[in-house]
Amino acid sequence: MPMQISITFLCLVLLALANGSYAGQIVIYWGQNGNEGTLMEACATGNYDYVIIAFLPTFGKGETPMINLAGHCDPQKNECIGLSSDIKSCQAKGIKVLLSLRGDTGSHSIDPSEVATYLWNNFLGGQSSSRPLGPAVLDGIDFDIEGGSNKHWGDLARLLKGYGMMGKQSKQVYITAAPQCPFPDAWIGNALTTGLFDYVWIQFYNNPPCQYTSGAISNLENAWKQWITSIPANKIFLGLPASSQAAGSGFIPSADLISQVLPAIRDSAKYGGVMLWSRYYDVQSGYSSSIKSYV
């Protein structure tokens, strides 16, 4: 009898391992290609734990904020409010949906209080008569800052967190960021030291000094170790292109990711999973499906 129990227990353990014992999650950016399918379709795949709506590129500098979702909808015609039902569908599946701020041109000198108030009232738990994505309440804000100014992003994160705690429903506002892998990041680096960021998905692509090249993992591994020991975020994610066409360099074939890269970083206490750019390229390549069981 003891031997039978041991064998049964071993079988259960092996079954659990076979069904995926890894704690990692997958993040996807959606919104920059009208041919990538709907947001609801993306969430229906079951492959993603976080979907980042990209982007809100126009904000601050006295400009009227304006989202840009490529061919999906025209915000100037108020078409994007139709996404509200998609967002709620995703959230009903337990998927967190965030809005990404894209900063890569101009000075982007922001008044953090003004921007935080706008984001809270128009995308999060506040009230506005002109919510671009309709009444759905997003789960947080992503900072994809790749140019402009490196000032005030920490202040903006702090104000957004504060709004979340003051909300009537006291819903957590997730704050995330997508820095480049050279450390420290030139634009968002200072803000990341605040400890306000829940998740950081680092772009290990288009950055040869710290990305993977065929058979050579040391550059990526060294950069990864520096990030996880230096940034007080809850979880750090490995940001990758979802296909070789999605970035100029840094694509990791799924076989290499599974056999070489993930085993080298997955035991980190702060390891969160993999971020992919973007849903359009993932549709073409099937990348998330090929790695999901190993993340």
Side-chain angles (χ1 to χ4, degrees):
M1 182 65 73
M3 179 62 72
Q4 288 179 323
I5 293 174
S6 298
I7 292 174
T8 301
F9 177 74
L10 179 60
C11 288
L12 289 172
V13 171
L14 291 174
L15 181 62
L17 290 172
N19 286 328
S21 59
Y22 305 120
Q25 298 177 306
I26 296 180
V27 182
I28 196 77
Y29 278 82
W30 175 94
Q32 283 303 292
N33 193 302
N35 296 318
E36 65 195 335
T38 67
L39 181 61
M40 187 179 295
E41 288 169 343
C43 292
T45 64
N47 286 355
Y48 315 120
D49 301 280
Y50 300 88
V51 177
I52 315 299
I53 296 177
F55 291 105
L56 178 71
T58 306
F59 60 94
K61 298 183 293 184
E63 297 178 321
T64 301
M66 183 69 68
I67 56 173
N68 181 334
L69 299 181
H72 288 288
C73 55
D74 185 345
Q76 293 185 321
K77 296 180 180 177
N78 214 28
E79 291 177 352
C80 301
I81 61 171
L83 284 171
S84 190
S85 58
D86 286 37
I87 293 166
K88 292 178 180 179
S89 173
C90 294
Q91 292 170 329
K93 293 177 171 63
I95 299 167
K96 303 299 183 187
V97 183
L98 292 80
L99 174 70
S100 185
L101 307 180
R102 176 78 177 196
D104 58 5
T105 58
S107 65
H108 245 97
S109 178
I110 65 167
D111 176 338
S113 178
E114 176 186 321
V115 175
T117 300
Y118 172 78
L119 292 172
W120 174 254
N121 286 332
N122 288 277
F123 296 101
L124 300 169
Q127 299 292 324
S128 170
S129 60
S130 58
R131 291 174 67 94
L133 299 178
V137 177
L138 297 180
D139 294 289
I141 301 295
D142 176 61
F143 291 52
D144 183 15
I145 311 303
E146 302 184 25
S149 173
N150 61 4
K151 295 179 171 60
H152 305 307
W153 302 117
D155 297 326
L156 177 56
R158 185 175 295 106
L159 289 166
L160 289 169
K161 280 289 188 184
Y163 267 124
M165 289 186 287
M166 291 188 299
K168 291 180 181 179
Q169 298 175 348
S170 191
K171 180 179 179 180
Q172 178 180 357
V173 175
Y174 288 89
I175 304 296
T176 67
Q180 308 293 307
C181 60
F183 186 89
D185 183 82
W187 309 111
I188 199 77
N190 289 338
L192 292 177
T193 65
T194 62
L196 294 165
F197 287 77
D198 298 287
Y199 309 122
V200 178
W201 14 86
I202 303 159
Q203 296 183 43
F204 281 90
Y205 52 94
N206 294 335
N207 288 292
C210 49
Q211 69 190 30
Y212 174 87
T213 53
S214 183
I217 194 176
S218 59
N219 286 351
L220 183 151
E221 191 173 12
N222 290 337
W224 175 266
K225 289 177 180 176
Q226 188 168 25
W227 276 99
I228 64 169
T229 56
S230 305
I231 295 300
N234 292 342
K235 294 293 181 181
I236 306 290
F237 288 68
L238 179 71
L240 299 174
S243 79
S244 57
Q245 287 76 45
S249 62
F251 173 69
I252 304 178
S254 58
D256 289 10
L257 182 72
I258 292 165
S259 66
Q260 298 182 48
V261 180
L262 290 178
I265 67 171
R266 202 167 40 206
D267 291 337
S268 307
K270 288 186 179 180
Y271 169 77
V274 173
M275 174 273 277
L276 296 176
W277 175 266
S278 61
R279 169 63 181 163
Y280 171 75
Y281 294 103
D282 194 34
V283 170
Q284 308 303 311
S285 66
Y287 196 79
S288 65
S289 294
S290 67
I291 66 170
K292 183 170 178 58
S293 298
Y294 305 93
V295 170

